[in-house]
Amino acid sequence: MVAPRANWKGFIKFGEVACPAALYTAASSSERIAFNTLNRKTGNRVKREFVDSETGDPVERDEQVKGYEIENGQYIILEPEEVAAAVPDSDKTLKIDAFIPCNEIDDVYFDKPYYLAPDKMGTDAFVLLRDGMKKAKVAAITRTVLFRRVRTVLIRPHGKGLIATTLNFDYEVRSSEEAFEELPDLKIEGEMLELAEHIIGTKKGSFDASTFDDRYEAAVAELVKAKIEGRALPKKKAPPASKPSDLLQALRESAGIGGKKAEPKRTAANANKGVSRQKAAKPATAAKSKSAAAPTRRAG
């Protein structure tokens, strides 16, 4: 088995204790199905080419330079060495600024996860940090230069090691107020809330990532296989019929009670009364059924 390649190597430091550490990608999209763009007529791959937006002439890589637009169509040119000079210096150290409760950061700030493991030496210090954080039930906030930018990183215990999650900057996270501003203030209570609680109770479970699959990837894989084998392409199934639009009716059906309200429980005394009433009604019911079964005469 090939050992994973580290995305970053440096040190993790808390107080005066430091140990070598490395970051490894925890989530990757490299296994997804990828397409190439082809020329329909020749079947050959199409390559990307940069052209001048005004003259239409191709621009070679050596002639391409970064620019920042200051006005409509007006740019400041930034040379590669100038951009490189703007990259902050890195001491390759994840220096812990503070320890905070694990649930203090809103996960909307979470960006990308990395596994953080000790790099060859310094395992004792690494394990000390991991176990100390577990016992105190805290996470660590740290900053360092990752991939040319100063990034804030949240470090938490994870299995035998640590997991380091880069955090979005505050200006990158949009306020929820705009998304929810048109949501009215409603208070749901009574039968609707009770039904919702019942449905939630029947659907309780645990998270298992292996039970969730990428339906798009599976569908594309089947499509490719069918094309290779010359089979008819798989047909898309028709969507299921829509559910009732009435919320209460939908809740009742979800809870398995149809359109009927749950009948109140009867006491023992009332239950006996109900039985006696049913017995008394039997002769009348039988007479009614006999008369209904009698053949009818047609006018002659």
Side-chain angles (χ1 to χ4, degrees):
M1 187 175 183
V2 180
R5 183 180 178 182
N7 296 79
W8 176 93
K9 286 188 177 184
F11 294 86
I12 181 169
K13 186 176 182 181
F14 56 106
E16 297 303 317
V17 180
C19 66
L23 292 176
Y24 299 88
T25 300
S28 172
S29 60
S30 61
E31 297 300 318
R32 292 180 182 173
I33 292 176
F35 294 108
N36 294 304
T37 303
L38 309 178
N39 182 335
R40 186 187 294 275
K41 293 181 180 179
T42 65
N44 299 327
R45 285 184 62 177
V46 175
K47 66 178 182 179
R48 181 176 296 175
E49 188 177 49
F50 287 90
V51 298
D52 189 295
S53 61
E54 296 294 330
T55 67
D57 297 331
V59 181
E60 299 298 328
R61 181 179 291 275
D62 293 344
E63 296 302 319
Q64 296 172 21
V65 66
K66 295 186 182 297
Y68 180 82
E69 187 172 15
I70 53 175
E71 291 181 15
N72 188 21
Q74 299 293 319
Y75 300 89
I76 291 178
I77 291 178
L78 300 171
E79 298 294 342
E81 58 273 15
E82 294 174 327
V83 175
V87 176
D89 294 331
S90 174
D91 59 1
K92 293 284 186 179
T93 301
L94 286 162
K95 186 178 179 181
I96 295 176
D97 294 330
F99 291 101
I100 62 173
C102 287
N103 60 352
E104 189 167 299
I105 293 186
D106 189 334
D107 56 10
V108 73
Y109 285 91
F110 288 7
D111 177 29
K112 193 171 182 181
Y114 295 89
Y115 295 126
L116 181 60
D119 186 33
K120 296 178 182 178
M121 299 179 64
T123 305
D124 290 351
F126 183 91
V127 171
L128 175 65
L129 174 63
R130 180 200 66 192
D131 292 351
M133 290 172 65
K134 279 184 178 180
K135 189 171 183 179
K137 297 181 180 180
V138 294
I141 287 287
T142 179
R143 283 179 294 175
T144 193
V145 176
L146 289 176
F147 319 120
R148 301 169 64 90
R149 299 179 68 191
V150 176
R151 300 300 306 265
T152 305
V153 181
L154 179 70
I155 298 175
R156 294 166 291 162
H158 185 82
K160 293 176 65 177
L162 299 170
I163 192 163
T165 306
T166 53
L167 300 180
N168 293 313
F169 292 104
D170 192 49
Y171 73 86
E172 294 175 311
V173 176
R174 295 181 176 180
S175 171
S176 61
E177 292 181 4
E178 185 177 342
F180 304 140
E181 64 180 354
E182 295 184 6
L183 187 65
D185 292 329
L186 296 177
K187 187 174 182 180
I188 305 294
E189 39 187 34
E191 183 187 1
M192 292 179 70
L193 186 58
E194 291 172 3
L195 287 170
E197 290 174 345
H198 171 73
I199 295 168
I200 291 170
T202 61
K203 291 289 185 180
K204 282 185 178 179
S206 57
F207 176 72
D208 182 1
S210 64
T211 62
F212 299 94
D213 58 351
D214 189 336
R215 296 184 180 181
Y216 173 75
E217 289 286 306
V220 171
E222 177 59 27
L223 173 61
V224 171
K225 186 179 179 182
K227 295 278 283 187
I228 292 172
E229 297 174 353
R231 294 188 285 109
L233 302 182
K235 293 183 179 180
K236 193 172 184 179
K237 294 181 180 179
S242 60
K243 298 274 185 179
S245 57
D246 181 76
L247 179 56
L248 182 56
Q249 175 68 13
L251 284 168
R252 287 172 178 168
E253 290 188 7
S254 300
I257 60 174
K260 299 179 181 179
K261 289 186 178 181
E263 295 184 2
K265 294 181 179 179
R266 292 180 296 187
T267 62
N270 290 335
N272 292 332
K273 290 180 181 178
V275 171
S276 62
R277 281 199 299 269
Q278 287 178 1
K279 287 182 178 178
K282 272 187 177 182
T285 305
K288 187 177 181 182
S289 62
K290 284 181 181 179
S291 62
T296 55
R297 295 181 179 179
R298 293 185 181 179

